[in-house]
Amino acid sequence: MGVHIFFPSTNESRSIHDDPKTQSLFTLFLFILVILNNIIAEARRSSRGGFHGTKLFVFGDSYVDTGNFLRSGSYKPPNGITFPGKPAGRFSDGRVLTDYIASFLGIRTPVAYRYRNYVEKSKLQHGMNYAQGGTGIFNSILTNGPNLTTQINSFQKLVQLNVYTKHDLRSSVALVNVGGNDYATFLQTNGNLKDVGAFSSGLVNQLCLDLKGIEGMGVRKIAITLMMPMGCAPQQSVNTSYTKCAELPNVVARNHNQQLLHCLANLKQSSVFLTLDLYNTFNSVISSMARKRAKNPRLMNPLEPCVRVEVEKEGKHKYKVCEKPEASFFWDQAHPSQNGWHSVYSQLQSSLHQLLQN
Ligand SMILES: *[C@@H]1O[C@H](CO)[C@@H](O)[C@H](O)[C@H]1NC(C)=O
Ligand SMILES: *[C@@H]1O[C@H](CO)[C@@H](O)[C@H](O)[C@H]1NC(C)=O
């Protein structure tokens, strides 16, 4: 909120400017207002936990990617129609988890790694986003984009080049969301989720090593998401015409989360590892929307995607967008809409406060 000064276009206002003494007093008054306004704005910024100079470093997949996956759907319509108004690299109609976490920290969304050499240096001050859609902890069948380890190596290189200093890292936050594409890869190559046990253990082990690697670089606060209920994604619930979440993928997600919590508990950690429970927050938001819809059937089904691809041939992409993206939970087959992310973020806020403590 700025200070608004109105200049009435009446004769009285002109007469103020005609008198040199009144005019200089008026200028002084304006000057003081501007200074006051700056002081208030500054106080507001630092009252957000005194988080001046915090940087956010993001790793993982499309749930947190804000522009690294060129030539993907994230750069094609209808993605981005709500924010920023055109396709700009997010797998959503608008903001994703990264944007909300950055705003919680009182900083801008960090620049996407892809653009590090094309933006002004000052744009690097909020951190960097290494996440890329389609990627996983292991290499993914969906893309040859960088896996989690490779993303962390890219981060390490910039630290070696002193783009970010050890001092920067100590006051930084890392955000990691990854794993969904590993299970998608497993499904496509092995077929049966029932045999996922050994794969899951290896996956969580590698994830834990990678988290340890981020900590080893000196980042003191690491937020890691727990897997969302994969069976609730429209690509799974489509089997029941979007009436129910599929049970098996949800069991796999719960097991994954349990193993991850177990491994985090056993890390000899000197940093804060904060888990953001997407499993329970997704479920809670979805059930709450479903309850409201039971009373008012005109509301949108939270298990139904807002975007439906109608035909896809010769690279042509025809789609239909629901009437009110702002009333949806899922944007497409696999990704929440901005409204979905905003609702999830609202529920995560109480956990996020731990990131503000020193
Ligand atoms: C990550 O990708 C690199 C390059 O493809 C590969 O050498 C490495 O083994 C991968 N790491 C994991 C954990 O899969
Ligand atoms: C959905 O249906 C397909 C085709 O019938 C089947 O292969 C798949 O296993 C089903 N998925 C779930 C989660 O039930």
Side-chain angles (χ1 to χ4, degrees), residues 43-205:
R44 275 217 189 93
R45 269 194 291 274
S46 50
S47 74
R48 289 174 150 263
F51 243 62
H52 231 67
T54 295
K55 300 182 189 338
L56 177 62
F57 296 99
V58 186
F59 306 91
D61 57 28
S62 55
Y63 273 23
V64 286
D65 184 358
T66 52
N68 282 316
F69 199 1
L70 237 51
R71 281 186 285 281
S72 75
S74 69
Y75 277 100
K76 292 182 191 134
N79 285 298
I81 53 167
T82 303
F83 171 84
K86 55 170 199 250
R90 286 173 180 78
F91 289 84
S92 166
D93 62 314
R95 295 174 179 85
V96 296
L97 186 60
T98 303
D99 301 294
Y100 288 113
I101 305 255
S103 85
F104 180 83
L105 296 172
I107 59 177
R108 297 250 179 141
T109 296
V111 66
Y113 176 67
R114 169 170 295 285
Y115 298 115
R116 69 197 178 282
N117 295 326
Y118 308 109
V119 297
E120 289 166 47
K121 236 183 145 208
S122 68
K123 291 256 162 71
L124 308 184
Q125 66 173 310
H126 307 293
M128 200 167 281
N129 189 347
Y130 296 86
Q132 183 169 321
T135 66
I137 297 161
F138 297 149
N139 287 340
S140 154
I141 202 172
L142 307 172
T143 160
N144 57 8
N147 62 35
L148 182 58
T149 318
T150 306
Q151 291 178 23
I152 296 169
N153 288 343
S154 304
F155 177 38
Q156 202 146 26
K157 276 184 205 136
L158 290 194
V159 173
Q160 277 156 9
L161 292 171
N162 258 317
V163 175
Y164 297 109
T165 65
K166 285 280 168 195
H167 178 81
D168 288 334
L169 299 194
R170 266 200 299 279
S171 58
S172 294
V173 171
L175 169 66
V176 182
N177 179 95
V178 72
N181 295 320
D182 292 289
Y183 288 105
T185 299
F186 177 86
L187 260 179
Q188 286 194 30
T189 51
N190 294 54
N192 201 338
L193 270 189
K194 289 194 180 90
D195 310 322
V196 84
F199 175 80
S200 236
S201 312
L203 191 64
V204 172
N205 261 337

Side-chain angles (χ1 to χ4, degrees), residues 19-60:
D19 172 4
K21 205 167 161 193
T22 322
Q23 197 175 354
S24 62
L25 267 180
F26 186 68
T27 311
L28 181 66
F29 170 71
L30 271 188
F31 182 70
I32 291 173
L33 267 187
V34 167
I35 299 232
L36 265 180
N37 196 32
N38 284 344
I39 290 174
I40 292 168
E42 184 62 28
R44 275 217 189 93
R45 269 194 291 274
S46 50
S47 74
R48 289 174 150 263
F51 243 62
H52 231 67
T54 295
K55 300 182 189 338
L56 177 62
F57 296 99
V58 186
F59 306 91

Side-chain angles (χ1 to χ4, degrees), residues 232 245 279-294 302-303 329 347:
C232 299
C245 300
Y279 191 91
N280 285 306
T281 45
F282 271 49
N283 267 348
S284 140
V285 173
I286 289 171
S287 335
S288 141
M289 287 176 77
R291 275 195 305 274
K292 286 184 188 138
R293 182 163 179 261
L303 295 180
F329 182 80
Q347 294 217 2

